[in-house]
Amino acid sequence: MKRSEVDRNKLSPMMQQYMDIKDKYDDCIVFFRLGDFYEMFFEDAITASRVLELTLTGKQAGLDERVPMCGIPHHAYSSYIDELIDKGYKVAICEQLEDPKLTKGMVKRDVIQVVTKGTRIDSNIDSKNNNYIANIYDFDYCYGISYADVSTGEVYATLLDEDIDKLLHEVVKKGFPEIIVNDTINREIVEKLRSSYHILVSIEKNMIDTDDYSYIYENIEDEKIIVTLKHLLGYIIDTKKGDLHHLQACQILKSSTYLKFDINTTKNLELIETIRTRERQYSLLWLLDKCKTAMGSRFLKNTILNPLTDKNELERRYDFVSILSTEFILRDDLIKSLDNVYDLERLVGRISYGNLNAKDLLQLKSSLKELPTIKKIIEELHFDKDIETFDEIYSLLDRTILEDAPFTLHEGHLIKEGYNKELDELKSIRSGSRDFILEMEKDEKERTGIKNLKVGYNKVFGYYIEVSKGQCNLVKDEYGYERKQTLANCERFVTPLLKEKENIILGAEEKIISLEYKLFMDIREVIKRYVSPLQKVSKVLSEIDMLQAFSIVSDTYKFTRPEITNDKSLKLIECRHPVVEQVMKDKYIPNDIVMDKTTNILLITGPNMAGKSTYMRQCAITIIMAQIGCFVPCKSATLPIFDQIFTRIGASDDLVSGESTFMVEMREANYAIQEATENSLILFDELGRGTATYDGMSLAQAILEYIHDKIKAKTLFSTHYHELTFLEKDLKQLKNVHVSALEENGHVTFLHKVKPGAIDKSYGIHVASLANLPKSLIDRAEEVLNVYEKKSIKKEVFTQTSLFELNEEEIVNKENPIEEKIKEINPLEMTPMEAINFLYNLKKEIKERK
């Protein structure tokens, strides 16, 4: 039975209430609270029963047949929500807004929050990863992107040119689990996000219609970013429905501030997860994450994905890592204190939103206890940021919250004695009455002579006197016992005196629970006043935690401080791949990567399995480590600050869009060629192998020449086209290097050592023999190879360094300084005044040139 098929006039009042609520949340599975259960009906019940493996039953709802229904216990709903959210569903939690005991007629119900992938704020989300919800606002000529982690309060925004590929690169790199788009967006974007990347996408046109959260965007001048933020905030506030004032002022992301790379580079370099298992283990993040707090781990991950381009900030981080390594005793004390700090960012989020429990406040108390020690240590280390210690909050929590308080807030046992006089008096009454119960049991045994008589309690029947079946004949009328309940092996009785004491005890218990809840919420309101300064301390602690992790790994793995140079020279002496070095059983062979001011391209040849790809990857990883403020896996390192990294490594068909390996290769190569500057790093691994030999070789050569003549980016280009090594004669900024191998008696030993010069043999057949192919097959391959080598005539490779000078339009473009200046700016990142000044100066320069 479907909801749309029902005659609503026949429905029971409760089911009509459900239908009205469900109409408002049609795209959600509604958890409808009925007593101690959340119930689901109609299509929701059918879906939930299948996904959660629940029994599908029916409910009488005033119709001729029962409507589909399933349910879950309200106290255990979180695990069920987790499973639904992971499968891409939204869940609307509909609660009873009134106490059924105090209400006549229908209990009021409404949705108190909608839980989605990107808006989770509970303690079940992954502590080491941010949980962002993002939006894309299509302005027809550019895209606005903003995103927020509702659990921590972080809010970011940026603008992108109207380029779908760039937009998708940015969105996929960030790993947003949920995206909101405006209703005029290009539907191709929505379809790709859903089908190719399996992202939960909602189309919304509403914006926030209140000024309560205007502080988030009040200091932003660009109206496009403000509109984008209002669109995102409208969805978040409508979804969460609680107090979200822990959301922080938006940070504008400027592309020039960060080292940029796309999702392919993140994947190829295995920065946060491995290609093979898609697990954190054996990634760069895994190696560097020696953080003691969840905040530090999240900050580290975000830093790896967004390395810096600010030399001063990088030098500042290097300085502090050096100090920590020198002052290792203080560092150990710092680590011990950080180990006792819980996830302050998310604790603050739950305190503000209201979905906290006593355990959260105890964790806050434990964290605050460490702040004075941390403050003293970082002062001794001369760290340039201060932290507040919040002595008032710590004192309040120390005086109020019981150390063994339960998770729920409606069972009592939350508040310590001595904090509230009225509460202490109620607890005294309860305690005295319970002592009376124990004394009564003793007296009744003596009065009646029933040795196994006992006084008990349960929530259904209250207090009772229990007598076993074998001794029921000893119960006499003069005892004044009234039969309350008959069980298989005993009888339960009450007396007027027991009823009187029960009313006193339960009355006191109810008042205690109510008063403790009120006091708990009052304490929460006091702490809410400190949300903003607590968030500031969280950020400082996150950075300190990350930097101590850098210090630990630098000491453990013998990393060295890099030197940042202002020229384009790159000199990595005895460079290692930091992750491979730690996981391999044999000793790692380090290699130099040297590209001085006169060298922009290293053309790498050598056998398969010799280590060409590892050599390229370790170059990029070393640069990323340097630009996050970490020491690097080299004996010494001198390098410039790079603006972008592009990689084309490994073969990968795009089966979804039906593109071959070669097409994917060419698309990624084109992306690098179009976007790279002279300050970029390009890694091309065996580019052109996806097509016929001469086609691939021709394209590889043309790409090398283009990079050499026009882009001038630092480039590592590995190839099996040995004919390309002749380019060194004509391309002055290209140098040949090779990964050496030793061949003895038909056996090949890979030395994994990179040496100057070229190599003209790939040892492919030897690699095949290592894979244990049949010996007869290997022998035949050797015979065929000899035939080809004898037939082969070395042809001169066509080289023409002036190849791209033939295009007059490109000459004009390259030599026109006015156009070069225009290319360097990003209009989306300029204020109106900056744009007017730029235009004025440009016009002035043109006049002067004439």
Side-chain angles (χ1 to χ4, degrees), residues 664-676 684 703:
V664 172
E665 273 190 352
M666 291 300 103
R667 282 188 179 278
E668 292 180 9
N670 179 60
Y671 178 68
I673 289 166
Q674 295 293 337
E675 299 294 325
F684 282 162
I703 288 170

Side-chain angles (χ1 to χ4, degrees), residues 409-422:
L409 301 180
H410 299 285
E411 295 179 7
H413 197 65
L414 298 172
I415 308 298
K416 289 181 177 178
E417 288 186 18
Y419 177 66
N420 181 274
K421 185 177 179 181
E422 181 185 354

Side-chain angles (χ1 to χ4, degrees), residues 106-124:
M106 179 70 64
V107 175
K108 287 183 181 177
R109 295 180 177 86
D110 205 351
V111 171
I112 60 166
Q113 68 165 313
V114 176
V115 185
T116 68
K117 272 191 176 183
T119 60
R120 301 193 62 179
I121 201 170
D122 53 76
S123 57
N124 293 332

Side-chain angles (χ1 to χ4, degrees), residues 461 469 472 483-493:
F461 293 103
K469 287 284 189 184
C472 281
R483 184 171 274 101
K484 180 95 172 183
Q485 186 184 15
T486 300
L487 298 177
N489 58 351
C490 66
E491 294 281 350
R492 289 175 176 174
F493 304 89

Side-chain angles (χ1 to χ4, degrees), residues 85 96 142 183 206 266 268 311 330 390 400 425 443 595 660:
I85 297 304
Q96 296 174 167
C142 72
D183 56 339
N206 295 330
T266 306
N268 290 332
K311 181 181 178 182
L330 282 174
F390 304 100
T400 55
E425 289 174 355
D443 292 344
M595 303 172 78
S660 65

Side-chain angles (χ1 to χ4, degrees), residues 498-519:
L498 189 58
K499 283 182 180 179
E500 180 185 335
K501 284 298 180 182
E502 178 183 87
N503 291 334
I504 294 171
I505 295 170
L506 295 183
E509 189 75 46
E510 192 172 313
K511 289 177 182 176
I512 287 169
I513 291 173
S514 176
L515 181 56
E516 285 201 319
Y517 179 77
K518 179 182 179 301
L519 292 172

